[in-house]
């Protein structure tokens, strides 16, 4: 069907080429199963690997795959969606890098034109696509773990992207690459 084909096309752009997607509908004919949402239920089925059978999405996907399926669904939904909603993505970068990370960043930025998008990422290509950047750090304080969130200005953002690119030691090459990533977005 058209919806499944559209999802498969979105997933192909997100490093899930050849993924098969299907929505299976079932009617609850017993009146005891009827709800205010209706009598039909739907379940997403997915085959992320060639030669594998379609299986229930909720039972087979990794965190990264699930985030990319959600990104594909939200991208399609945003075409007709209403502004003013917040979309949250965590681990959308799991198992990807390079070109695919740039595609994911572009899709998130496009969603950001119509929605507030919160994305937790470890990839500089995705982080550079955002309009606002926060550094989130966990640390132990006494006997508790505390999470700090710090807004980054333009210079701090460039330095953080360089750290993400270079590791713990920030290099001139990392700073230059960070500048290029920010200019490209």
């Amino acid at each position: 069907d058209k919806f499944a084909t559209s999802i498969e096309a979105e997933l192909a752009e997100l490093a899930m080429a050849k993924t098969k997607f299907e929505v299976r509908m079932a009617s609850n004919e017993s009146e005891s199963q009827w709800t205010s949402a209706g009598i039909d239920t739907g379940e997403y089925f997915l085959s992320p690997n060639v030669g594998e059978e379609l299986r229930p999405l909720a039972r087979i996907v990794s965190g990264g795959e699930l985030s990319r399926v959600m990104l594909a669904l939200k991208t399609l939904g945003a075409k007709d969606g209403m502004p003013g909603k917040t979309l949250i993505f965590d681990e959308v970068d799991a198992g990807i890098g390079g070109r695919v990370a740039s595609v994911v960043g572009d899709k998130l930025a496009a969603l950001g034109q119509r929605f507030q998008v919160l994305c937790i990422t470890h990839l500089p290509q995705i982080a550079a696509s955002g309009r606002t950047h926060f550094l989130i750090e966990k640390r132990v304080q006494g006997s508790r773990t505390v999470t700090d969130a710090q807004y980054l200005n333009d210079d701090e953002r460039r330095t953080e992207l360089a750290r993400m690119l270079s590791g713990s030691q920030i290099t001139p090459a990392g700073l230059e690459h960070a500048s290029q990533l920010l200019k490209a977005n």
Side-chain angles (χ1 to χ4, degrees), residues 97-115:
R99 182 191 61 76
V100 175
S102 294
V103 170
V104 169
D106 291 346
K107 286 191 176 289
L108 290 166
L111 283 174
Q113 298 299 313
R114 298 201 50 209
F115 302 94

Side-chain angles (χ1 to χ4, degrees), residues 29-156:
E29 296 185 19
S30 168
E31 194 171 325
S32 66
Q33 294 178 314
W34 295 0
T35 70
S36 60
I39 65 171
D40 295 326
T41 58
E43 185 172 14
Y44 294 147
F45 280 71
L46 190 81
S47 171
N49 301 307
V50 174
E52 302 235 350
E53 291 181 30
L54 287 160
R55 288 183 266 162
L57 174 77
R59 292 191 205 131
I60 66 161
V61 294
S62 68
E65 287 171 335
L66 182 58
S67 287
R68 288 190 295 265
V69 169
M70 291 305 300
L71 178 57
L73 290 168
K74 290 176 182 181
T75 298
L76 288 177
K79 292 178 181 172
D80 297 322
M82 300 285 292
K85 294 187 179 191
T86 300
L87 306 176
I88 301 171
F89 295 94
D90 187 11
E91 293 189 33
V92 73
D93 56 8
I96 63 170
R99 182 191 61 76
V100 175
S102 294
V103 170
V104 169
D106 291 346
K107 286 191 176 289
L108 290 166
L111 283 174
Q113 298 299 313
R114 298 201 50 209
F115 302 94
Q116 175 176 298
V117 175
L118 302 175
C119 178
I120 299 166
T121 185
H122 301 280
L123 293 178
Q125 297 95 323
I126 293 174
S129 296
R131 285 186 289 196
T132 305
H133 193 146
F134 287 86
L135 173 63
I136 311 296
E137 292 182 309
K138 287 184 181 180
R139 61 183 168 78
V140 176
Q141 183 176 333
S143 60
R144 302 281 320 252
T145 301
V146 178
T147 303
D148 292 319
Q150 175 191 350
Y151 170 79
L152 302 180
N153 65 30
D154 290 344
D155 288 336
E156 293 166 331

Side-chain angles (χ1 to χ4, degrees), residues 152-167 170 174-175 178-179 182:
L152 302 180
N153 65 30
D154 290 344
D155 288 336
E156 293 166 331
R157 184 175 188 199
R158 179 174 165 256
T159 300
E160 177 57 16
L161 289 173
R163 187 200 59 77
M164 293 170 81
L165 288 160
S166 305
I170 297 169
L175 288 167
S179 294
L182 290 168

Side-chain angles (χ1 to χ4, degrees), residues 5-17:
T5 302
S6 297
I7 292 293
E8 288 173 357
E10 289 290 329
L11 290 172
E13 289 184 41
L14 300 170
M16 293 181 70

